[in-house]
Amino acid sequence: MELIEDVYRLCISQPQPLNQPLYENIQRFFEEHVDKLREAILTTSSDTISEYLKQWAKFSVGAHGCNINDNWVNKKMVDKKMGQPNVYTIINLALMTWKERLFHKIKDRALRCVEVLIQQDRDGEIVEHSAITQFMESLIKLDGVDKYLYRTEYEASYLENTKQFYSRESSAFIAAHGISNYLQKAEKRIDEEYHRSQKYLNSSSHEKLKRLLDSILIERHKESIHSEYIHRLYKLLSRIEGGLSPVLETVQNYIQQTGFDSLKAIPDKNIADPKIYVETLLEIYLRFSELIKRSFNNDVSFITVLDAACHKIFNQNHLTKNTTKSPELLAKYCDLLLKKGAKTTEEVELEEKLGQIIVLFKYVDDKDVFQKFYSKMLSRRLINGTSVSDDTERFMIQGLKQACGFEYTSKFQRMFTDITLSGETNEEFKRHIDMNNVPMGKVDFSILVLTSGSWSLHSQTSSFNVPQELIICMEGFTNYYQTKHQGRRLNWLHHLSKAEVKSTHLKKPYEFQVTNFQLSILLLFNAQELVNYDDITKLTGLNENELPRTLQSLLESKLILQKKNPDSASQEFILNMAYINKRLKVKVSSSLQKDTQAQVEETYKGIDEDRKLYLQASIVRIMKARKTMNHVALIQEVIEHSRLRFQPNIPMIKKCIEQLIEKEYIQRVEGESDRYNYVA
Amino acid sequence: SNTNATSPKSSNEKVQKNTDGGDKNKRIEEFYDQYADPEDPTNIGPEGIERLCKDLGVEPEDVIVLVLAWHLNAQSMGFFSKKEFTTGLLKLGIDSLQKLQTYLPNFKKDLEDQNNFKEIYRFAFLFAKENPQNKILEIESACSMMSLILTLKYPHADKLVDYLLNHQTTYRGLNMDQWLSVFEFAKVIAPDTSNYDENGAWPVLLDEYVDWVKSKTN
């Protein structure tokens, strides 16, 4: 208590507080004292660590004592100058002095000492391990003056030694005892090091050590483990019948689990992203097919196991439970790859990727879902001319054809034929116009003639009054086409048609790419400056869904403006005479470009309808051949029939059977509850 | 085709002897005329049937009336055409109200006969349909027919009616196959559905009904 008071008096003494000289004196004292301790450690007859710990124990207690006694110094000057270099609280001054003047001078020796002790520990000798633990902890106590000290000095040296040691040991061991023994050894070593790390390392280092050991003991010898151990295991077990079955099962479970885990690791918001989802599945497939090639000689039974596991991962993961998301996402990923403007990939690389997708495709249960989505997106690519290239498209279709047969891709093929024929039709029609002076207005007209039934196009969204300017072309073409192909009916798909239109009302002559719906509204401004909503409805014929959407897209592109007129009940629109754009060719985005949820649902509904038709056709075919059949056998045969396209559920098959009974294609056999007869 | 009910067999009925076919025809015409619709004499209408029932001392909702309709092979509920009424009754040897009344106990016996019972059930589907062209019997009519006949014999009937009316929205009517399957089901499946084979050929409607019964008991 007296000491504290003395310090207090010194600190508040007048006329000049004496805290500054006091601080300096304390510092000098620490320096001299620490120097003495250092010499004691360096000259000790026992080992460095023990002596260090002995001195440290005394010093740290003393330093804490000083800190309390000299608290007034801390308050008086240190607090004020906190943050200035070289001014510390008394405790930190003590620790700093210890670190600078003692630790750094003896650390090489001390760490060497630790290394030796750990080496002995690893060699199985009995070691006074509490010394190491205490030494490690003493460094952590220096945290206050250097928070990196433990990491930069102790941990770094520990990890480096560990690395050196096991690099040497593992290679030497493998050379001397072979890989089979090594596996045991490595397992034991990893276990030992875990326990060692609990004693000698702060918990912040445990993960680093684990990674280090994995890399040195396993990763580095992976190749040899595979080629010698697993491969030998395989070679031996495959010689006896049934020898591989437990291995097969383990491998299959492992692949499945890895697959499910990888998918679960994808954040929820990304799981339905086609690229992320498919790339994840692909990575799993490639990884394990490589493993099977290397370790199991591409043995058929292992490939079967891989197939079974991938099939399960693909069709029964947490995203696809009771859904057919996998084929949908796979088809969408194909679209991403095959669409122009996406990241340009080299053709060879792209074809390789597509080839891999075909492999995944084989695992798809519901191939009809893939087909539907693929067909939809192929339709869009072909109509909008956004395919990356015809060759790549054909490459992919060829692959699907090989996997699933001619019928599966026949509609795709026909779509291509339509596009090719349309090119020819356009040329012939142009010649016909020139030769016969067919009036076409001022329109440069081109057309795609699509065979109905082959294309997956979303249905008409609205009624439409074709603008007068286009009617003349439509008539010209219809006449021409109908003379050429009698009996064919042309059905105009205005909701998919597009136009390029030149502006004359603006400063610059812009060229706008618009949908025909957008065009029909723009053309109204040729006749009048201001158009109101009711007029637009009447003149364009667009319905209450399509019209607001289309107007909105034109407003967003700033081509037209809504006139503020509080007196008028109806909305009024005018052209934006001040429109400017850096480009002269402007694509006016339409509201319909994205696949809306409704469209996806429509697609699924279509898939469902197709399935019912397919099932009914199968049932009729089977019953026609068999004449009479038991219920269970019929169900089984129908499933077998559909397997290549989709996995039908039993209620759906039963409903189809019931529909056929109602339509009198088949009947129940009187008195036999489980049998059907074919009705001729 | 299985959508036509077989016409009732008259082999088990005692054909009453008649001496004069002409008399008989005359009597049956008179009998008919008593109940014929004055607006449309080709038919006995709902009002006439109600009167006939009253005179016979039975309720119009009595299942006996359905059995009568079956014997007459009547095409639609609420009406007996002149042809249906006269030829049907003559086949049974009936030409007067009184003879019909004495015959009523035989109708009860028809219901006890397993084959006739099923035929009457099958007939009820066609009879109760709003329109002979329809392939579907509306769910409400189906249920009232089931309550009328099926409840006589089978404990499932009430539960089926409850299910169809109050616990499902998928089905707005039954087709003949479902109608007949319901009969088979009621006949052979235990009240707790324990002997129901869900892998069997039962229509999906009954799969769903069984699920409902099971979920209710759990």
Side-chain angles (χ1 to χ4, degrees), chain A residues 91-234:
Chain A
I91 176 73
N92 281 353
L93 181 66
L95 296 178
M96 196 64 185
T97 314
W98 176 273
K99 182 194 128 187
E100 297 290 340
R101 298 181 88 97
L102 193 153
F103 176 76
H104 277 304
K105 298 283 165 25
I106 61 107
K107 71 176 183 197
D108 288 342
R109 236 195 248 204
L111 288 171
R112 175 76 200 130
C113 218
V114 171
E115 193 188 326
V116 170
L117 285 173
I118 290 175
Q119 186 57 54
Q120 288 167 350
D121 193 11
R122 280 179 181 144
D123 290 343
E125 291 171 35
I126 292 170
V127 173
E128 182 48 63
H129 54 70
S130 65
I132 308 175
T133 313
Q134 283 168 27
F135 180 66
M136 184 263 289
E137 282 166 353
S138 80
L139 295 187
I140 290 179
K141 292 222 177 82
L142 290 171
D143 241 11
V145 289
D146 183 350
K147 59 179 172 179
Y148 300 114
L149 192 67
Y150 162 77
R151 203 192 309 166
T152 53
E153 301 295 346
Y154 184 84
E155 183 195 84
S157 139
Y158 188 100
L159 293 179
E160 181 57 29
N161 289 335
T162 309
K163 183 174 161 191
Q164 299 262 345
F165 174 71
Y166 284 116
S167 301
R168 267 196 320 270
E169 193 198 55
S170 60
S171 302
F173 193 93
I174 291 171
H177 306 283
I179 203 89
S180 306
N181 292 319
Y182 172 70
L183 291 182
Q184 271 182 352
K185 177 82 176 170
E187 210 175 3
K188 192 164 144 254
R189 278 306 202 186
I190 287 172
D191 194 45
E192 280 173 16
E193 284 304 325
Y194 168 76
H195 290 294
R196 208 161 276 133
S197 73
Q198 300 293 319
K199 290 185 293 203
Y200 303 155
L201 286 176
N202 181 260
S203 58
S204 63
S205 314
H206 291 169
E207 185 58 29
K208 282 183 214 161
L209 181 78
K210 180 180 170 291
R211 276 205 302 269
L212 176 73
L213 290 172
D214 287 351
S215 141
I216 300 290
L217 292 176
I218 309 170
E219 182 77 27
R220 206 176 263 189
H221 302 293
K222 197 171 67 175
E223 298 295 321
S224 336
I225 295 175
H226 281 146
S227 59
E228 286 180 42
Y229 188 73
I230 300 186
H231 191 64
R232 182 169 304 150
L233 175 90
Y234 161 74

Side-chain angles (χ1 to χ4, degrees), chain B:
Chain B
S1 127
N2 62 356
T3 52
N4 287 332
T6 46
S7 34
K9 297 167 199 111
S10 46
S11 55
N12 59 338
E13 285 113 28
K14 286 177 225 151
V15 179
Q16 299 202 351
K17 294 225 169 73
N18 58 323
T19 46
D20 187 352
D23 271 7
K24 220 175 168 107
N25 282 338
K26 205 176 154 221
R27 278 199 297 279
I28 188 96
E29 292 238 358
E30 281 168 13
F31 183 23
Y32 172 81
D33 288 339
Q34 281 182 310
Y35 298 98
D37 185 346
E39 310 276 301
D40 175 14
T42 60
N43 270 322
I44 297 177
E47 185 267 337
I49 291 180
E50 210 170 303
R51 208 147 37 80
L52 175 65
C53 290
K54 204 174 158 211
D55 295 344
L56 288 169
V58 296
E59 292 294 321
E61 297 81 33
D62 197 312
V63 68
I64 286 287
V65 184
L66 180 69
V67 182
L68 170 65
W70 173 63
H71 277 289
L72 301 185
N73 201 16
Q75 289 302 303
S76 63
M77 203 151 64
F79 298 91
F80 295 137
S81 74
K82 184 168 180 182
K83 186 162 176 271
E84 286 164 1
F85 190 82
T86 51
T87 47
L89 285 185
L90 281 179
K91 244 193 238 167
L92 298 177
I94 296 168
D95 56 11
S96 69
L97 179 72
Q98 197 219 335
K99 281 185 189 160
L100 181 55
Q101 202 159 23
T102 21
Y103 197 83
L104 287 181
N106 293 322
F107 287 168
K108 285 238 189 284
K109 274 188 208 137
D110 284 333
L111 287 167
E112 282 151 27
D113 178 274
Q114 186 62 46
N115 285 334
N116 283 343
F117 184 75
K118 188 171 176 187
E119 285 312 322
I120 292 164
Y121 176 85
R122 181 199 286 268
F123 166 79
F125 179 88
L126 304 168
F127 179 62
K129 270 193 314 188
E130 202 153 289
N131 179 331
Q133 270 83 55
N134 288 0
K135 291 202 153 187
I136 300 287
L137 174 62
E138 298 73 25
I139 212 81
E140 290 79 17
S141 315
C143 286
S144 50
M145 278 298 148
M146 276 159 64
S147 310
L148 191 62
I149 324 163
L150 216 53
T151 36
L152 297 178
K153 272 191 195 275
Y154 303 123
H156 265 299
D158 284 334
K159 254 192 286 179
L160 271 160
V161 168
D162 179 30
Y163 174 71
L164 289 174
L165 286 181
N166 306 317
H167 300 281
Q168 61 86 27
T169 50
T170 325
Y171 304 92
R172 267 176 264 147
L174 300 187
N175 62 26
M176 182 56 119
D177 179 55
Q178 288 163 330
W179 178 252
L180 293 178
S181 298
V182 161
F183 184 88
E184 279 308 306
F185 178 91
K187 196 168 90 178
V188 301
I189 299 301
D192 64 354
T193 71
S194 55
N195 62 342
Y196 185 78
D197 175 12
E198 56 222 25
N199 298 320
W202 298 109
V204 179
L205 166 74
L206 288 164
D207 290 340
E208 290 163 359
Y209 167 70
V210 168
D211 285 346
W212 175 76
V213 171
K214 285 189 172 148
S215 75
K216 219 170 52 134
T217 42
N218 282 345

Side-chain angles (χ1 to χ4, degrees), chain A residues 517-530:
Chain A
F517 290 170
Q518 289 169 331
L519 178 72
S520 71
I521 296 176
L522 289 178
L523 288 175
L524 299 180
F525 293 97
N526 277 337
Q528 46 198 122
E529 267 176 35
L530 183 139

Side-chain angles (χ1 to χ4, degrees), chain A residues 269-463:
Chain A
K269 66 173 164 46
N270 291 338
I271 185 86
D273 177 307
K275 184 170 163 42
I276 295 174
Y277 182 75
V278 177
E279 293 277 350
T280 306
L281 292 168
L282 204 51
E283 192 271 323
I284 294 161
Y285 169 77
L286 291 174
R287 183 177 354 147
F288 287 107
S289 87
E290 179 61 26
L291 175 108
I292 284 169
K293 192 162 104 197
R294 227 180 27 219
S295 301
F296 303 121
N297 245 0
N298 262 343
D299 186 296
V300 180
S301 50
F302 279 92
I303 290 178
T304 314
V305 154
L306 174 68
D307 286 347
C310 285
H311 181 257
K312 199 144 190 190
I313 297 168
F314 212 94
N315 295 293
Q316 290 170 39
N317 62 54
H318 70 290
L319 178 70
T320 61
K321 277 245 155 75
N322 304 321
T323 70
T324 45
K325 260 303 189 236
S326 274
E328 179 188 329
L329 292 174
L330 192 63
K332 283 183 174 166
Y333 188 48
C334 292
D335 187 48
L336 288 179
L337 291 172
L338 291 166
K339 204 157 53 180
K340 205 160 44 184
K343 217 181 85 193
T344 38
T345 335
E346 288 293 312
E347 194 167 321
V348 187
E349 214 175 294
L350 182 58
E351 290 194 352
E352 190 191 331
K353 177 124 299 178
L354 292 171
Q356 292 167 346
I357 286 181
I358 301 273
V359 175
L360 289 189
F361 168 75
K362 290 179 187 155
Y363 296 126
V364 172
D365 266 347
D366 299 299
K367 295 201 167 54
D368 59 338
V369 175
F370 179 90
Q371 187 187 33
K372 200 77 171 188
F373 278 96
Y374 193 89
S375 147
K376 233 178 155 81
M377 289 178 281
L378 175 61
S379 297
R380 200 151 52 189
R381 290 197 296 274
L382 291 178
I383 289 178
N384 296 335
T386 50
S387 274
V388 87
S389 82
D390 273 10
D391 286 347
T392 321
E393 292 281 6
R394 282 181 209 281
F395 172 85
M396 185 66 190
I397 291 172
Q398 192 57 32
L400 293 172
K401 189 162 133 187
Q402 274 167 9
C404 232
F406 168 77
E407 203 196 322
Y408 190 79
T409 52
S410 62
K411 281 186 180 173
F412 303 161
Q413 306 271 20
R414 238 173 299 149
M415 281 153 69
F416 270 105
T417 314
D418 280 352
I419 296 290
T420 316
L421 289 179
S422 293
E424 291 165 16
T425 305
N426 276 319
E427 277 172 30
E428 281 170 32
F429 181 52
K430 284 220 168 65
R431 279 200 295 277
H432 166 80
I433 297 171
D434 291 344
M435 272 166 57
N436 301 300
N437 283 324
V438 180
M440 291 294 279
K442 289 185 210 156
V443 180
D444 182 7
F445 173 90
S446 84
I447 191 158
L448 293 174
V449 183
L450 314 178
T451 315
S452 68
S454 305
W455 294 73
S456 293
L457 308 167
H458 58 86
S459 40
Q460 293 274 10
T461 48
S462 170
S463 50

Side-chain angles (χ1 to χ4, degrees), chain A residues 631 654 658 662 668 670 674, chain B residues 175 177 200 202-204 207:
Chain A
H631 174 76
K654 284 179 74 168
E658 289 177 47
E662 195 177 322
R668 292 180 198 275
E670 195 72 43
D674 271 354
Chain B
N175 62 26
D177 179 55
W202 298 109
V204 179
D207 290 340

